[in-house]
Amino acid sequence: KRCSICKQVWYCGAECQKAGWRRHKKRCAPPPSINEIRAKVLAAHTAGKWRGVLEWEVRMEELMEGEPDAIANGILYCFFNAHVRGSLLTGSPQHALSAASLGSRRVDLLGKMERFRDQGEAMCSISDNLAAAGKHQEAAGWLERARKIAEAHGFFSVECQ
């Protein structure tokens, strides 16, 4: 049986739940609404608190559900940027790979929205993150895709490092 208030704790039955309530009630609180979480993610992102953003990543799909593509892209960007910061500050290849994965989702959305310059720049970011994680061949592939986007849409260049 799951706690009906916080929905975070499970019990084997009503008797166990009743026995554990005295201890659990001190930290039991209803989960925040999606709008509250979205506001916290954006505030943490704006303040550069990447760990504060990532604590909500488990709810990312809920945050994007039903949102227009531009809002979903912004939410993905917040989590993408938090992983980039995590990678730079900790040297963790896992953060770099997570950033690349989120970046790939952004590439799809940006293409759908016909924001091709941003799409090319996102591809360059994916390339950078894959290279940071030691995935050099995959990084080169994303860099080539970015160049093709730039060429196809008449951009003089897409800035990749």
Side-chain angles (χ1 to χ4, degrees), residues 81-144:
N81 194 47
H83 278 293
V84 168
R85 289 179 186 189
S87 174
L88 293 172
L89 293 171
T90 67
S92 164
Q94 189 54 49
H95 279 300
L97 291 172
S98 292
S101 175
L102 292 167
S104 145
R105 290 181 65 184
R106 286 191 66 232
V107 163
D108 294 341
L109 270 177
L110 291 166
K112 187 175 167 187
M113 294 186 299
E114 298 183 0
R115 289 177 47 191
F116 301 115
R117 181 177 296 277
D118 292 337
Q119 187 184 38
E121 289 174 1
M123 289 175 177
C124 289
S125 294
I126 293 167
S127 177
D128 291 344
N129 282 286
L130 288 169
K135 306 269 185 182
H136 300 289
Q137 196 166 10
E138 288 178 56
W142 278 99
L143 195 55
E144 185 57 31

Side-chain angles (χ1 to χ4, degrees), residues 42 69-79 106:
L42 292 174
D69 290 342
I71 300 295
N73 177 58
I75 292 167
L76 279 171
Y77 181 76
C78 288
F79 290 105
R106 286 191 66 232

Side-chain angles (χ1 to χ4, degrees), residues 2-3 21 31 40 45-46 56 60 73-74 77 79 92 121-122 130 134 141 143 147 151 154-155:
R2 188 178 191 181
C3 175
W21 175 244
K40 288 178 184 193
H45 172 72
T46 302
W56 297 105
M60 183 177 66
N73 177 58
Y77 181 76
F79 290 105
S92 164
E121 289 174 1
L130 288 169
L143 195 55
R147 286 193 178 113
E151 187 178 287
F155 305 138

